[in-house]
Amino acid sequence: MSAEKLSLEDFEPGRRFPLGPKLVLAEEIIEFASEFDPQPMHIDEAAGRASILGGLAASGWHTSAMLMRMMADSYIVNALCEGAPGIDLMEWRKPVLAGDMLQGQSLVLEARPMRSRPGMGIVKFRHELENQRGELVCVSENSVMIRMRPGSELSA
């Protein structure tokens, strides 16, 4: 990709950005959970196997953090991104277990200039992550504020 950062004009509805792949390691599941979500199924393999999750499972919050990292690696750090006003949807559909390989995509649902902030727009995304078996493990939707190209003629 060129040195020029992606701007609002580059996020046309229907555009897809690949996410991952990301191998989920037992050590990182335990490390994340020990600090942020120390439930037994996230910090102990035997407890995970005995739970309804079926194994040492990443916290949903850890899954969300991995999704964010994949988004950053795919397009966020290469865009004129100014942050996000929030999350509209976050669903953890299946457990993410140690040894899973996650990958997916971010789909641009809509992109529009902001009336309240000239030179900036809102891009709404739908993100989907699957494991190595093609099972949907996480679905999320959120909007991101992204600057327009300097001198852009787009209007709100």
Side-chain angles (χ1 to χ4, degrees), residues 119-151:
M120 193 172 301
I122 290 279
V123 179
K124 184 169 184 175
F125 291 93
R126 178 176 176 88
H127 317 283
E128 296 184 351
L129 288 180
E130 296 180 343
N131 61 23
Q132 68 279 5
R133 293 177 296 282
E135 298 169 328
L136 193 59
V137 298
C138 180
V139 175
S140 179
E141 291 185 6
N142 75 295
S143 296
V144 177
M145 296 178 290
I146 299 179
R147 292 198 176 277
M148 297 175 175
R149 285 190 189 101

Side-chain angles (χ1 to χ4, degrees), residues 7 78 82 87 89 137:
S7 63
N78 194 40
E82 293 290 336
I87 296 174
L89 172 73
V137 298

Side-chain angles (χ1 to χ4, degrees), residues 58-70:
S59 162
W61 300 111
H62 185 190
T63 300
S64 297
M66 290 185 283
L67 169 62
M68 182 65 224
R69 180 55 194 244
M70 286 185 258

Side-chain angles (χ1 to χ4, degrees), residues 51-126:
S51 77
I52 64 171
L53 301 176
L56 182 64
S59 162
W61 300 111
H62 185 190
T63 300
S64 297
M66 290 185 283
L67 169 62
M68 182 65 224
R69 180 55 194 244
M70 286 185 258
M71 291 164 38
D73 290 344
S74 182
Y75 57 91
I76 293 289
V77 297
N78 194 40
L80 298 172
C81 183
E82 293 290 336
I87 296 174
D88 301 314
L89 172 73
M90 179 59 72
E91 295 179 352
W92 304 311
R93 300 264 183 103
K94 294 254 185 205
V96 172
L97 303 175
D100 277 355
M101 181 70 74
L102 302 180
Q103 61 184 0
Q105 66 178 356
S106 291
L107 170 66
V108 176
L109 299 176
E110 63 182 68
R112 62 174 174 78
M114 294 175 70
R115 289 186 185 98
S116 61
R117 293 188 182 267
M120 193 172 301
I122 290 279
V123 179
K124 184 169 184 175
F125 291 93
R126 178 176 176 88

